[in-house]
Amino acid sequence: MAALAYTLGKREINHYFSVRSAKVLALAAVLLLAGCHLASRRYRGNDSCEYLLSSGRFLGEKVWQPHSCMMHKYKNNEAKNCLVDKHIAFIGDSRIRQLFYSFVKIINPQFKEEGNKHENIPFEDKIASVKVDFLWHPEVNGSMKQCIKVWTEDSVAKPHVIIAGAATWSIKIHNGSNEALSQYKMNITSIAPLLEKLAKTSDVYWVLQDPVYEDLLSENRKMITNEKIDAYNEAAVSVLNSSTRNSKSHVKMFSVSKLIAQETIMESLDGLHLPESSRETSAMILMNVYCNKILKPVDGSCCQPRPPLTLMQKLAACFFTLSIVGYLVFYIIHRNAHRKNKPCTDLESGEEKKNIINTPMSPLEILLQSLCKLGLIMAYFYMCDRADLFMKENKFYTHSTFFIPIIYILVLGVFYNENTKETKVLNREQTDEWKGWMQLVILIYHISGASTFLPVYMHVRVLVAAYLFQTGYGHFSYFWIKGDFGIHRVCQVLFRLNFLVVVLCIVMDRPYQFYYFVPLVTVWFMVIYVTLALWPQIIQKKANGSCFWHFGLLLKLAFLLLCICFLAYSQGAFEKIFSLWPLSKCFELKGNVYEWWFRWRLDRYVVFHGMLFAFTYLTLQKRQILSEGKGEPLFSNKISNVLLFISVVSFLTYSIWASSCKNKAECNELHPSVSVVQILAFILIRNIPGYARSVYSSFFAWFGKISLELFTCQYHIWLAADTRGILVLIPGNPMLNIIVSTFIFVCVAHEISQITNDLAQIFIPKDNSSLLKRLACTAAFFCGLLILSSIQDKSRY
């Protein structure tokens, strides 16, 4: 009964919710969300700097998340590059002095808080030509006014950034009297025009007063209450916001520190001054406000203008627009023709005559429809990660954000299980399942920011290695068994691997190496192909006649291993090869190929291990040493039990070692040699028991079929800022946002998979003469891309 209910439940779900209906729902969600965000931008404004300066929340104890955008954590060398030849001035009381110290420590972490606190404090980095001054003016009075007035004179050099604020001293000295508040308002009114004048050429910020923790205040500060602070803040805001008529004030309110203080003031030592972590957050916000528009960090979307369209992006937009228009015209003409040929009624018999029958779509219609859908999808990619329509947030790792989703998908995977069509080792359903659950774990790893937790990082490295292991196993098995080294097979694989990435390189203006996994798989496929296709071509059919051919293949594999070892330990030779034009255009990132060398070297042996495993398995299978019948163990019971025990111990041993890692660099150095242990252990555990080989999870297998699209699409429509952050479609509700964005993301990945398959049939014909013509057109297309890329590079620099 339970099995029947389970089967009926799955059928019910599949009957009412198909993939097609899911995609329609996803499209409706995108249109609705885009409309809502556009309306919100028009109503609330589109300046992320205002959000950075005024709103946000803590993700953890010390991680501040501004509303709607991402904040970059600046290092001292970045800060110096941004502030070269700049002068920054802090004017105010002891709280502003604290902010000054925290700001300077971003530039020079060794700077110490020393000297007389109630006087001016200069800082200068002569090498970077950066000057930061603190000017002691604890009250808003004539002294502060005179200091600011000097800068308004034309003959005096003005600071590039001015951060001012004061109030607590006025409250303290005048014992919180109302007369002092009135005088404060008069004084700030007289200063406001001067600040407004400076704000036309410099960045001017007025820091609103943070709350205090009244219980910790000393007796001589008891008059500084939060009620008084709020009154002084209201006075400052009302005066500065109304200092200009009929236009918005250029003086920016730094009010976000109030929100930060509300969460952290309890940690204060004296109830008045903020703890160091809070001051560092405020200083980092100031650095983001000024430097993001200059350095344009990928993970600092606050205060960044939308990047201008490149020449290739404009051409891509024109191409997709023409494709959409072309498909619509084709559809209208086809529909009108269908109406003309509609079945008509015979007046004598009263029966309908069917003049036409439903015909399959023509290649032209498939091409136009696929390009039309691809154009709309690319528009969504651009809106998510290049336009400023949707919001972005920083990642924040907690154990629960990683492990709870893992448990959830594991339960779903177990729920959707079916019998396999065949019970061979690593059969198609099983490899799809393997790819599927690995891809889901990797996605959760990326969105949760789990790379900061070393044990998880090391286990995910094994999952990436397992993908490459399957690349070696799968392609070796195909060439070994079928002996098909034709150009059609090569082109088909290369097209399916690279089509989406090439389009994204153009639309999202990113280098090919940015999507590192696809170049990695592509290069390894070509290595496998060249290794087996070169003379002498040794395939299973030929090798069956003599063991000599097996020895010859092992020599080929040994030579491949020798080449891998040479390149792995000769970085110079590796970089020279891949720095040659035009390879450099594909494999360079940030002007060099180091990232490519690092990625390749990290899993350098695992593809070879996959090829060697495939050769060993297929040889044993051919000699009928393995028992692959339904429900049968792979070997005799005794051998199976021994191997199963060794596999479990090996699997757990690797996990213990990975969990005890303390240094990422050292563990990465060992990873290429030892990752195969856990991969082989998993294969044996999954395949030795007959019952384990006979079932698979259709849930995981479904995701496995679109694993490459999922891995690539996540960069821009699930994550954000090129994987550095998280896309926010529904602000204020992280759980609902993840559900909706994930649903859209999976639907898009599935649709792209279908588009790729459809276009592969058109662009990669089986006829060799037609294929060669297509290859010539492809070569011309990539030559055009290289020329356009060179033009773009010159215009940038």
Side-chain angles (χ1 to χ4, degrees):
M1 287 297 291
L4 179 62
Y6 161 76
T7 306
L8 289 175
K10 285 200 296 183
R11 286 181 182 174
E12 196 75 12
I13 293 169
N14 294 335
H15 176 73
Y16 288 105
F17 198 72
S18 64
V19 173
R20 183 180 177 83
S21 61
K23 289 176 182 176
V24 172
L25 187 59
L27 176 61
V30 169
L31 294 175
L32 178 63
L33 289 167
C36 290
H37 279 268
L38 276 172
S40 174
R41 297 273 174 173
R42 283 183 174 276
Y43 176 72
R44 299 180 62 183
N46 196 28
D47 188 358
S48 60
C49 273
E50 286 190 11
Y51 293 132
L52 177 61
L53 291 169
S54 62
S55 58
R57 70 185 193 279
F58 275 105
L59 295 178
E61 290 183 4
K62 298 180 181 179
V63 180
W64 182 254
Q65 172 57 60
H67 176 69
S68 84
C69 61
M70 293 170 60
M71 194 168 80
H72 178 66
K73 189 171 183 179
Y74 279 91
K75 298 175 183 176
N76 63 320
N77 59 327
E78 293 175 314
K80 289 176 182 178
N81 288 337
C82 167
L83 300 175
V84 63
D85 295 328
K86 297 294 188 294
H87 179 203
I88 296 92
F90 288 79
I91 314 168
D93 55 14
S94 57
R95 286 175 155 189
I96 298 296
R97 184 182 64 237
Q98 280 190 312
L99 187 58
F100 158 79
Y101 277 127
S102 296
F103 188 86
V104 169
K105 283 179 181 178
I106 299 175
I107 304 168
N108 181 6
Q110 282 75 44
F111 188 74
K112 294 180 180 179
E113 301 181 20
E114 56 188 13
N116 192 341
K117 294 182 178 180
H118 294 171
E119 63 181 23
N120 298 343
I121 304 172
F123 167 81
E124 186 173 6
D125 188 316
K126 293 184 178 179
I127 297 173
S129 188
V130 179
K131 186 179 179 183
V132 186
D133 290 324
F134 168 70
L135 306 175
W136 172 252
H137 291 282
E139 288 191 87
V140 179
N141 54 18
S143 174
M144 180 183 282
K145 181 179 179 180
Q146 185 59 35
C147 175
I148 295 170
K149 189 176 181 180
V150 170
W151 289 329
T152 60
E153 297 173 3
D154 296 334
S155 59
V156 177
K158 303 171 182 63
H160 297 88
V161 184
I162 299 168
I163 301 100
T168 55
W169 270 66
S170 297
I171 299 172
K172 177 184 173 182
I173 291 172
H174 300 95
N175 202 29
S177 66
N178 291 330
E179 291 78 8
L181 176 60
S182 300
Q183 186 63 46
Y184 178 85
K185 195 168 184 178
M186 289 174 59
N187 290 342
I188 206 167
T189 301
S190 67
I191 287 175
L194 301 176
L195 292 175
E196 196 64 39
K197 186 177 180 181
L198 282 172
K200 292 179 181 178
T201 55
S202 305
D203 289 354
V204 179
Y205 304 94
W206 186 266
V207 181
L208 297 183
Q209 294 301 299
D210 303 328
V212 296
Y213 191 45
E214 296 179 17
D215 294 344
L216 284 178
L217 290 174
S218 60
E219 286 300 321
N220 64 338
R221 290 175 176 168
K222 285 293 184 183
M223 69 291 295
I224 306 173
T225 64
N226 287 323
E227 184 181 354
K228 290 293 181 184
I229 284 174
D230 289 341
Y232 275 72
N233 282 339
E234 286 174 16
V237 170
S238 62
V239 170
L240 293 173
N241 281 344
S242 60
S243 60
T244 57
R245 295 181 179 179
N246 303 322
S247 65
K248 191 176 180 180
S249 173
H250 292 93
V251 179
K252 298 165 187 172
M253 292 293 166
F254 191 80
S255 59
V256 69
S257 61
K258 286 172 54 185
L259 298 178
I260 297 169
Q262 285 170 6
E263 299 289 332
T264 60
I265 192 63
M266 291 78 72
E267 301 169 23
S268 171
L269 297 176
D270 58 8
L272 178 67
H273 299 100
L274 292 177
E276 189 173 0
S277 62
S278 304
R279 292 185 277 134
E280 288 171 354
T281 301
S282 295
M284 195 60 72
I285 290 171
L286 282 173
M287 194 68 75
N288 273 259
V289 170
Y290 188 77
C291 291
N292 282 4
K293 56 182 175 286
I294 297 173
L295 298 184
K296 297 181 174 61
V298 174
D299 60 342
S301 61
C302 300
C303 299
Q304 271 204 53
R306 186 173 61 190
L309 288 172
T310 64
L311 177 60
M312 283 199 284
Q313 285 176 319
K314 291 175 183 176
L315 292 174
C318 292
F319 173 77
F320 283 123
T321 302
L322 290 173
S323 299
I324 293 169
V325 172
Y327 176 69
L328 291 175
V329 170
F330 186 92
Y331 178 77
I332 292 167
I333 294 171
H334 182 74
R335 189 176 179 185
N336 289 336
H338 181 72
R339 281 181 177 177
K340 289 178 182 178
N341 292 314
K342 207 174 181 181
C344 57
T345 304
D346 191 324
L347 296 176
E348 293 183 4
S349 63
E351 295 179 354
E352 285 189 345
K353 293 181 178 179
K354 295 183 180 178
N355 297 328
I356 59 168
I357 59 172
N358 290 328
T359 56
M361 292 174 67
S362 65
L364 177 60
E365 187 176 0
I366 293 172
L367 176 64
L368 289 174
Q369 186 186 70
S370 297
L371 293 176
C372 175
K373 290 190 288 186
L374 185 64
L376 295 173
I377 289 171
M378 288 301 112
Y380 178 64
F381 271 78
Y382 187 85
M383 284 194 301
C384 287
D385 209 21
R386 289 296 173 270
D388 54 2
L389 179 62
F390 297 122
M391 300 176 181
K392 302 175 179 69
E393 287 190 353
N394 295 87
K395 299 176 185 178
F396 176 68
Y397 175 75
T398 61
H399 292 321
S400 60
T401 57
F402 177 75
F403 289 105
I404 289 176
I406 293 291
I407 295 169
Y408 178 69
I409 64 163
L410 180 63
V411 171
L412 281 175
V414 172
F415 178 74
Y416 283 91
N417 67 82
E418 296 178 11
N419 293 326
T420 57
K421 294 178 182 177
E422 55 180 350
T423 56
K424 293 180 180 179
V425 173
L426 292 180
N427 56 67
R428 184 58 182 268
E429 288 100 338
Q430 191 184 123
T431 53
D432 283 341
E433 174 202 84
W434 193 8
K435 288 178 184 177
W437 71 256
M438 287 195 304
Q439 184 57 65
L440 291 175
V441 171
I442 290 171
L443 290 175
I444 295 168
Y445 164 83
H446 281 154
I447 202 165
S448 64
S451 59
T452 56
F453 186 48
L454 195 52
V456 172
Y457 168 81
M458 290 307 301
H459 281 87
V460 170
R461 288 281 5 128
V462 176
L463 300 188
V464 175
Y467 264 99
L468 293 170
F469 181 93
Q470 284 197 49
T471 296
Y473 172 82
H475 292 306
F476 179 92
S477 299
Y478 179 87
F479 291 128
W480 175 253
I481 295 170
K482 297 199 173 183
D484 178 12
F485 296 100
I487 193 170
H488 177 264
R489 168 69 182 177
V490 175
C491 292
Q492 198 174 47
V493 172
L494 292 178
F495 183 88
R496 291 177 188 276
L497 288 176
N498 292 277
F499 171 71
L500 173 60
V501 166
V502 170
V503 175
L504 287 177
C505 287
I506 296 169
V507 173
M508 305 305 289
D509 188 31
R510 284 293 175 265
Y512 179 64
Q513 179 54 32
F514 175 74
Y515 308 93
Y516 74 93
F517 188 72
V518 170
L520 206 54
V521 176
T522 301
V523 167
W524 278 117
F525 166 73
M526 292 306 300
V527 168
I528 296 165
Y529 175 78
V530 170
T531 302
L532 298 178
L534 283 178
W535 183 91
Q537 285 186 5
I538 305 171
I539 59 174
Q540 190 178 60
K541 189 176 180 181
K542 183 188 287 188
N544 287 338
S546 171
C547 290
F548 170 78
W549 293 113
H550 286 89
F551 179 71
L553 182 65
L554 289 173
L555 283 177
K556 272 191 168 188
L557 293 178
F559 180 72
L560 172 62
L561 180 61
L562 189 66
C563 293
I564 292 169
C565 292
F566 171 74
L567 290 175
Y569 294 101
S570 179
Q571 185 180 350
F574 185 95
E575 290 185 350
K576 281 180 182 178
I577 292 169
F578 288 98
S579 295
L580 295 172
W581 193 89
L583 286 178
S584 60
K585 298 297 290 183
C586 295
F587 296 102
E588 279 187 356
L589 195 65
K590 298 178 182 178
N592 59 67
V593 295
Y594 174 79
E595 178 72 13
W596 166 236
W597 180 76
F598 171 77
R599 294 288 184 184
W600 177 87
R601 192 171 182 271
L602 202 54
D603 295 300
R604 56 188 179 271
Y605 300 128
V606 75
V607 173
F608 169 80
H609 291 145
M611 296 170 70
L612 191 61
F613 176 82
F615 172 71
T616 305
Y617 162 66
L618 293 172
T619 303
L620 293 175
Q621 185 188 59
K622 195 68 180 176
R623 296 180 182 278
Q624 299 181 342
I625 295 173
L626 306 176
S627 302
E628 295 183 298
K630 190 171 184 179
E632 295 179 0
L634 202 58
F635 303 97
S636 65
N637 287 332
K638 188 175 181 180
I639 295 175
S640 293
N641 290 335
V642 170
L643 286 176
L644 204 55
F645 175 77
I646 293 171
S647 300
V648 171
V649 171
S650 300
F651 191 93
L652 293 175
T653 301
Y654 181 90
S655 289
I656 293 168
W657 170 78
S659 300
S660 63
C661 272
K662 302 298 180 186
N663 185 285
K664 184 181 283 190
E666 291 176 3
C667 293
N668 278 341
E669 197 63 35
L670 288 171
H671 167 78
S673 304
V674 299
S675 61
V676 70
V677 172
Q678 196 165 44
I679 294 169
L680 290 176
F682 171 79
I683 292 172
L684 292 176
I685 293 168
R686 184 70 178 82
N687 287 276
I688 286 177
Y691 62 87
R693 275 198 328 275
S694 303
V695 295
Y696 77 104
S697 170
S698 56
F699 175 79
F700 290 141
W702 189 88
F703 284 98
K705 290 173 183 174
I706 58 170
S707 59
L708 187 65
E709 288 76 15
L710 287 170
F711 191 90
T712 308
C713 290
Q714 67 166 326
Y715 279 72
H716 303 296
I717 62 169
W718 197 50
L719 304 173
D722 297 341
T723 74
R724 305 292 181 87
I726 299 171
L727 178 68
V728 179
L729 299 177
I730 302 175
N733 194 327
M735 182 61 70
L736 183 60
N737 177 66
I738 287 294
I739 292 170
V740 173
S741 64
T742 301
F743 175 69
I744 296 170
F745 159 59
V746 172
C747 289
V748 168
H750 189 273
E751 186 61 35
I752 288 176
S753 176
Q754 290 188 334
I755 290 170
T756 304
N757 290 334
D758 290 340
L759 292 177
Q761 303 300 321
I762 296 170
F763 289 129
I764 315 295
K766 292 184 178 179
D767 177 53
N768 280 340
S769 61
S770 300
L771 180 57
L772 289 173
K773 291 176 184 177
R774 299 280 206 288
L775 288 176
C777 294
T778 303
F781 170 75
F782 280 109
C783 286
L785 281 184
L786 288 172
I787 293 168
L788 289 173
S789 176
S790 300
I791 294 171
Q792 279 186 186
D793 291 343
K794 286 181 180 178
S795 65
R796 281 174 181 166
Y797 301 109

